[in-house]
Amino acid sequence: MRKILLGTTAVVGAALLGNVAQAQTAPTVRVGGYFEFAGGYVNDTADRNAVTVAAGTNPARTASRDKIDFKTDAEIVVIVAGKAANGLSYGAQVELQIDNFIPQAATTAGTGVDTDEAWGFISSPTLGTLQFGDQDSAASQMAVSLPGAVAQLGMSGQWDEFVALAADGNRYLVNDINDGSDATKIIYMSPQFFGFDFGVSFAPNGREGEEYRTVSSGLTAATQTLQRNPNDSIRNELSGAIRYRGSFGNIGVTAGLAAHRADAQANNSALQDVTEYQAGLNVTGFGLTVGGMYRWGKYGGTTRTPLAAGRDGSTTWGLGATYVTGAIAVGAFYAKAERDNGGANADRTQTVWGLGTSYTLAPGMDLFANYSNVVDKNIAGGIAGSNGPGGANRNIDVFVIGTRLTF
């Protein structure tokens, strides 16, 4: 989805903003969003003989999953923005998403509508931006990662939405810090000074939205679990980032360092507190962008998950390049993640590489095509030596072609 650039946000009151009179604008509402259609061809060793067909006219047997699937994805974004006479900007943004592959209940088709993000902001060009609500952390918003000029090409850009979960419950491990966590939080992002800016954010727990109880705990006093329960989720999430954006002649440079920490659940002394860091660099010139990222720390799964006591830290890294000429963009990337499986078990590794292209057919409309190759080894809980369903090893090839309309 197209990100709405809201400038920078303010932490202090209007009294600190000066008395210079400016044009005042009452809050206005506009609607944006995107619609996407994609078709995928999947060759996954975990799909082979993965389905049991009950006996009927023929005896019971196993069958492989189909290789072709289509999907749609869409968001409607409502943006409210106003401006005070003292220059203070303010507003809110609500993103309504159609969940295309995770049904909300066993009886739904995965087409329910809920909120992806919902947050407000107060902004001053001289003092910065304050965001509050269900929004990405400061680390996630500001981290520098692989070049992103090619529509829907990335470490976990499209391929993971066509494949089944691995034995440990994860489809992908290669991703950026926080992976866009929308836990309810407060975020401050500074103005830019000599090319540098920074941001910090805080979330008291890992939950989001209006509900103060966990969804699965029930509605009675005897069964409810409050989100404030220290046993419920990670707590006291702090994240931050510092970033540089500048140019030297015809060469643009973006560099950044992001960090995140959180307390593990209080009822499990066998868990380590979460810490993770990400460094990234992009260099752009003459239509070509090359860059990479390296993430390390005490985290499990994709991100934000406490590691079991005694396990070593995790790493994720990637390199990529894109080239843009006119309406055409092409790119490629290579990424790898490594997680400690504990004890004498070999580490889990996931290696992903891909290439793709996109073409701007008309303003707001892109056509895209990409290919990703995934090699998973030593998946926790998988069948040792097997690369079939539930196996500890897995090889995946995914071809995707589609179109995306941004409005």
Side-chain angles (χ1 to χ4, degrees):
M1 183 197 66
R2 178 178 58 190
K3 292 294 183 181
I4 309 302
L5 300 181
L6 298 172
T8 48
T9 71
V11 181
V12 298
L16 299 179
L17 298 177
N19 297 316
V20 178
Q22 299 186 35
Q24 181 168 291
T25 304
T28 58
V29 180
R30 65 187 182 94
V31 177
Y34 70 86
F35 170 81
E36 181 180 289
F37 170 84
Y41 176 86
V42 182
N43 183 27
D44 184 351
T45 56
D47 287 343
R48 298 172 185 171
N49 299 314
V51 180
T52 300
V53 180
T57 305
N58 298 311
R61 66 190 191 280
T62 60
S64 298
R65 296 187 179 102
D66 293 339
K67 292 184 178 295
I68 296 176
D69 197 11
F70 292 160
K71 73 178 186 72
T72 59
D73 187 16
E75 283 195 6
I76 301 296
V77 184
V78 180
I79 306 107
V80 181
K83 189 173 184 179
N86 58 15
L88 189 73
S89 298
Y90 59 95
Q93 180 168 317
V94 179
E95 301 172 7
L96 303 176
Q97 66 180 355
I98 298 175
D99 286 326
N100 62 310
F101 69 94
I102 304 178
Q104 287 73 45
T107 57
T108 67
T111 55
V113 177
D114 62 1
T115 57
D116 179 9
E117 297 175 348
W119 48 279
F121 71 93
I122 302 171
S123 178
S124 160
T126 57
L127 294 172
T129 302
L130 183 69
Q131 300 173 346
F132 37 89
D134 303 345
Q135 166 67 313
D136 297 342
S137 69
S140 186
Q141 291 189 57
M142 300 181 68
V144 178
S145 186
L146 276 60
V150 179
Q152 302 307 92
L153 176 69
M155 295 186 291
S156 57
Q158 279 282 327
W159 66 266
D160 63 284
E161 296 184 5
F162 286 95
V163 302
L165 294 173
D168 66 352
N170 294 306
R171 295 188 307 276
Y172 65 93
L173 297 179
V174 287
N175 63 314
D176 290 307
I177 189 170
N178 286 187
D179 198 26
S181 164
D182 296 331
T184 306
K185 58 178 68 71
I186 297 175
I187 307 149
Y188 170 72
M189 300 175 72
S190 78
Q192 194 169 8
F193 302 100
F194 304 104
F196 289 93
D197 57 355
F198 69 90
V200 293
S201 62
F202 171 75
N205 54 59
R207 301 295 183 176
E208 62 182 279
E210 180 184 13
E211 185 57 72
Y212 64 93
R213 298 161 293 192
T214 61
V215 175
S216 60
S217 68
L219 303 179
T220 69
T223 61
Q224 68 179 356
T225 299
L226 300 188
Q227 294 178 172
R228 293 184 288 109
N229 187 329
N231 301 331
D232 176 57
S233 68
I234 57 175
R235 300 164 293 127
N236 301 317
E237 283 193 85
L238 285 170
S239 85
I242 185 169
R243 176 177 59 185
Y244 173 78
R245 291 172 292 177
S247 59
F248 302 87
N250 294 322
I251 304 300
V253 175
T254 302
L257 177 65
H260 167 252
R261 61 87 49 209
D263 296 332
Q265 290 85 334
N267 64 342
N268 193 339
S269 60
L271 296 178
Q272 305 179 59
D273 291 342
V274 177
T275 58
E276 54 184 317
Y277 310 90
Q278 179 168 325
L281 173 68
N282 280 191
V283 179
T284 302
F286 308 101
L288 176 68
T289 301
V290 296
M293 55 78 70
Y294 181 77
R295 181 162 64 101
W296 72 100
K298 295 283 188 177
Y299 63 91
T302 56
T303 181
R304 301 175 66 245
T305 300
L307 282 174
R311 294 199 180 184
D312 294 332
S314 303
T315 60
T316 306
W317 62 271
L319 298 171
T322 60
Y323 179 74
V324 180
T325 176
I328 300 173
V330 295
F333 72 90
Y334 180 93
K336 185 173 183 177
E338 187 170 343
R339 306 289 184 267
D340 184 3
N341 278 329
N345 298 314
D347 290 348
R348 180 183 178 183
T349 62
Q350 183 178 78
T351 304
V352 183
W353 66 269
L355 49 85
T357 183
S358 61
Y359 174 73
T360 302
L361 180 67
M365 175 167 277
D366 290 319
L367 308 178
F368 60 85
N370 58 67
Y371 163 76
S372 298
N373 173 268
V374 184
V375 177
D376 249 333
K377 294 183 178 180
N378 307 315
I379 301 170
I383 302 169
S386 171
N387 65 354
N393 302 309
R394 186 179 187 183
N395 298 309
I396 309 171
D397 297 288
V398 182
F399 298 86
V400 179
I401 186 169
T403 182
R404 184 180 180 96
L405 172 65
T406 305
F407 52 91

